């Protein structure tokens, strides 16, 4: 296992290219199962979760070939089983359930276990697919689903689940008749998936709003599709500029998709401006102020940026309250930040952060993907040396993070733990 050793205190200056979005690429790659012709994806990030998805696709009968940032998937004989060995390493594997049921009328997908940031059940996916005619039972840790042919239905989600919306959207493209999905997730990654499905021949309206309508079609073809840039990676680099008092130009950077994050960072004292159509410059006006943050489904402040903005708040002036409303147990970065000298008090779903003059480098442990990112950010700002252990979490979601940061002035070394 590797760790990152960070010498803090260097302001980051220069340009960083934002990679393709992990959370858009995962469902869009999984949607290959629906298509009867080859698909070429570009701007695919080279990340562990994407390699896992490609392995899973191959097992399901859709061999995927990675070349640089391009993935080509060729459909052949579909098989219905997603084995536990792969699912246990990546919860998003459950996204093959909808497409398999739509194409094969059967699916056997290992039940993803709990994860570090909460129980994360898939009950909303299953009840919605049942409304479309699927039946499920649990056999030796596997969800077994069957249906004759999925039929259009009117589905209201109790909560706008991102994965649930994506699973149902994919399933509905090949169902008989019209499916109306209400109270769906409006996340940009859902919109990217819908645009991809439309490029393959699906009939979808309303993506990006809370009601999506899908007219089932008899088959989907292939296409060439560019994955959207990663808004969470971009937001993480924005915080990196702010926390080090630097000046970064982020190229191919999402902007509207980051509105809530940009508004909050500006309010805290960052200067964030568009440069041309696709680049964003992030600087600092010399004074960081703590602000309150509450995570919400899109277009609210994303839970995937909560840990990173908290790192920024630890050295801002004043106090801010961070409330996590999407996941239980998503504050595992807090005790680690405290080990670096941060002043954070936890109470249930709320953390009160009081800014300190400076953080001090320390050995810390990464517990999940975004918590890891917040520790790297804290290490960049801290005085002295920070050792971030268990960074395999980081490699699931950030492409070559230390290379990208070192190219703009960070001093990070990867070494065995
Ligand atoms: C996706 C993202 C993740 C992000 C999250 C919220 C991917 C691969 N992952 O995760 O990075 O943090 O959206 O923006 O895109 N829930 C249920 N029952 C269900 C489904 C969800 O209770 O059937 C609960 C979950 O436990 C969680 C909340 O709803 O507390 C949000 O989950 P969901 O929106 O489904 O997130 P994911 O798709 O898992």
């Amino acid at each position: 296992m590797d760790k990152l050793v960070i010498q803090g205190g260097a302001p980051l200056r220069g340009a960083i290219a934002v990679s393709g979005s992990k959370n858009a690429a995962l469902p869009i790659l999984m949607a290959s199962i629906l298509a009867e012709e080859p698909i070429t994806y570009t701007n695919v990030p080279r990340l562990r979760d994407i390699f896992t998805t490609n392995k899973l696709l191959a097992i399901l009968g859709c061999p995927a070939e990675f070349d640089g940032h391009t993935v080509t998937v060729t459909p052949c004989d579909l098989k219905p089983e997603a084995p536990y060995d792969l699912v246990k390493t990546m919860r998003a594997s459950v996204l093959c359930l909808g497409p398999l049921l739509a194409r094969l009328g059967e699916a056997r997908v290992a039940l993803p276990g709990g994860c570090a940031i909460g129980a994360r059940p898939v009950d909303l996916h299953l009840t919605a697919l049942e409304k479309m005619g699927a039946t499920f039972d649990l056999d030796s840790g596997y969800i077994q689903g069957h249906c004759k042919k999925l039929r259009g239905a009117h589905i209201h989600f109790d909560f706008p689940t991102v994965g649930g919306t994506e699973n149902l959207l994919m399933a509905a493209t090949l169902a008989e008749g019209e499916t109306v999905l209400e109270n769906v997730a409006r996340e940009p990654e859902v919109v990217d998936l819908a645009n991809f499905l439309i490029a393959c021949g699906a009939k979808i309206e309303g993506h990006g709003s809370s009601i999506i309508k899908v007219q089932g079609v008899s088959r989907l073809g292939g296409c060439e599709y560019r994955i959207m840039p990663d808004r969470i990676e971009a937001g993480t680099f924005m915080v990196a500029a702010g926390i080090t008092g630097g000046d970064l130009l982020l190229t191919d950077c999402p902007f509207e998709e980051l509105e809530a994050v940009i508004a909050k960072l500006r309010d805290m004292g960052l200067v964030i401006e568009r440069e041309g159509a696709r680049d964003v410059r992030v600087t600092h006006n010399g004074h960081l102020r703590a602000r309150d943050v509450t995570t919400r489904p899109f277009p609210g402040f994303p839970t995937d940026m909560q840990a990173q903005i908290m790192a920024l708040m630890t050295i801002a002036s004043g106090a801010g309250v961070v409330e996590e409303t999407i996941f239980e147990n998503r504050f595992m970065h807090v005790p680690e930040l405290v080990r670096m000298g941060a002043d954070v008090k936890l109470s249930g779903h709320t953390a009160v952060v009081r800014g300190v003059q400076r953080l001090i480098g320390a050995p810390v442990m990464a517990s999940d993907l975004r918590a890891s990112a917040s520790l790297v950010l804290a290490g960049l700002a801290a005085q002295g040396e920070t050792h971030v252990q268990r960074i395999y979490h980081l490699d699931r979601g950030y492409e070559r993070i230390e290379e990208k940061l070192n190219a703009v002035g960070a001093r990070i070394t990867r070494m065995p733990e």
Side-chain angles (χ1 to χ4, degrees):
M1 231 185 279
D2 288 348
K3 66 175 175 184
L4 292 183
V5 179
I6 307 171
Q7 306 288 338
L12 303 188
R13 292 184 204 289
I16 308 187
V18 177
S19 292
S21 161
K22 168 180 87 79
N23 285 356
L26 290 175
I28 293 177
L29 283 166
M30 221 63 99
S32 316
I33 297 167
L34 295 164
E36 294 180 26
E37 291 164 12
I39 302 168
T40 303
Y41 301 96
T42 58
N43 203 33
V44 183
R46 295 185 67 85
L47 297 170
R48 224 181 47 178
D49 276 5
I50 302 293
F51 296 125
T52 307
T53 305
N54 287 351
K55 260 192 226 164
L56 179 59
L57 283 173
I59 289 173
L60 295 173
C62 302
E65 215 172 277
F66 223 140
D67 179 15
H69 288 91
T70 299
V71 173
T72 312
V73 181
T74 325
C76 52
D77 262 352
L78 277 181
K79 296 173 191 68
E81 181 165 321
Y84 180 61
D85 275 355
L86 281 180
V87 175
K88 73 174 183 209
T89 64
M90 190 184 69
R91 294 191 77 268
S93 309
V94 77
L95 291 172
C96 66
L97 193 58
L100 284 174
L101 284 170
R103 271 306 292 287
L104 289 180
E106 69 171 310
R108 192 174 144 79
V109 179
L111 192 61
C115 73
I117 58 175
R120 296 180 84 170
V122 290
D123 54 317
L124 300 174
H125 303 224
L126 300 185
T127 43
L129 286 165
E130 276 170 354
K131 291 220 167 94
M132 298 185 74
T135 55
F136 293 101
D137 36 43
L138 193 64
D139 171 48
S140 317
Y142 279 73
I143 303 167
Q144 282 201 147
H146 289 278
C147 60
K148 280 210 180 72
K149 172 135 181 76
L150 289 176
R151 46 171 199 272
H154 201 115
I155 294 161
H156 181 95
F157 285 100
D158 286 346
F159 177 85
T161 153
V162 174
T165 301
E166 292 167 344
N167 235 335
L168 268 290
L169 180 58
M170 290 188 277
T173 56
L174 293 180
E176 223 165 60
E178 184 182 70
T179 301
V180 180
L181 303 170
E182 281 183 4
N183 195 29
V184 293
R186 298 165 58 189
E187 267 66 3
E189 293 76 15
V190 171
V191 175
D192 211 28
L193 171 64
N195 287 335
F196 164 74
L197 292 167
I198 290 168
C200 292
K203 295 211 163 79
I204 301 171
E205 278 172 24
H207 39 298
S209 78
S210 48
I211 301 180
I212 299 182
K213 288 188 182 163
V214 186
Q215 292 292 341
V217 294
S218 58
R219 72 185 290 278
L220 293 183
C223 71
E224 186 175 323
Y225 195 79
R226 184 176 197 272
I227 304 291
M228 66 176 281
D230 196 311
R231 64 191 169 108
I232 303 302
E233 191 204 27
T236 304
F237 292 142
M238 288 179 182
V239 174
I243 207 166
T244 63
D247 180 345
L248 289 179
L249 181 73
L250 305 179
T251 62
D252 200 17
C253 182
F255 198 84
E256 286 86 10
E257 295 85 347
L258 269 170
E259 220 165 67
V261 172
I262 290 173
K264 193 59 74 175
L265 291 176
R266 281 178 171 161
D267 204 17
M268 288 181 71
L270 268 57
V271 179
I272 304 176
E273 301 297 344
R274 262 188 145 149
E275 287 207 358
R278 291 170 52 179
D279 301 346
V280 175
R281 180 169 294 279
V282 188
T283 54
H284 188 279
N285 68 7
H287 183 68
L288 279 175
R289 303 174 289 267
R291 286 289 180 264
D292 295 344
V293 174
T294 302
T295 62
R296 300 263 184 236
F298 190 85
F301 190 93
T303 172
D304 284 353
M305 278 299 299
Q306 178 257 105
Q308 299 92 314
I309 203 158
M310 188 188 291
L312 185 63
M313 238 182 248
T314 62
I315 55 161
S317 66
V321 177
V322 179
E323 193 191 349
E324 173 58 57
T325 72
I326 309 294
F327 288 109
E328 41 186 302
N329 201 16
R330 202 175 199 181
F331 279 137
M332 277 164 311
H333 43 288
V334 170
E336 306 299 311
L337 291 171
V338 168
R339 301 190 68 248
M340 298 177 71
D343 180 352
V344 188
K345 301 270 179 311
L346 260 185
S347 168
H349 290 284
T350 302
V352 179
V353 187
R354 288 190 175 76
V356 294
Q357 206 74 33
R358 70 172 61 85
L359 297 173
I360 313 281
V364 288
M365 188 90 85
S367 51
D368 67 62
L369 174 53
R370 307 305 169 184
S372 318
S374 83
L375 298 176
V376 171
L377 292 167
L380 289 173
Q383 194 175 53
E385 200 170 272
T386 298
H387 292 228
V388 184
Q389 289 163 9
R390 295 206 186 156
I391 53 151
Y392 56 89
H393 293 291
L394 203 61
D395 294 333
R396 283 185 38 224
Y398 289 89
E399 191 175 18
R400 300 180 295 106
I401 189 165
E402 76 272 26
E403 265 179 59
K404 285 193 182 188
L405 292 172
N406 285 346
V408 293
R411 294 166 299 189
I412 308 178
T413 317
R414 181 182 287 254
M415 52 175 69
E417 258 177 36

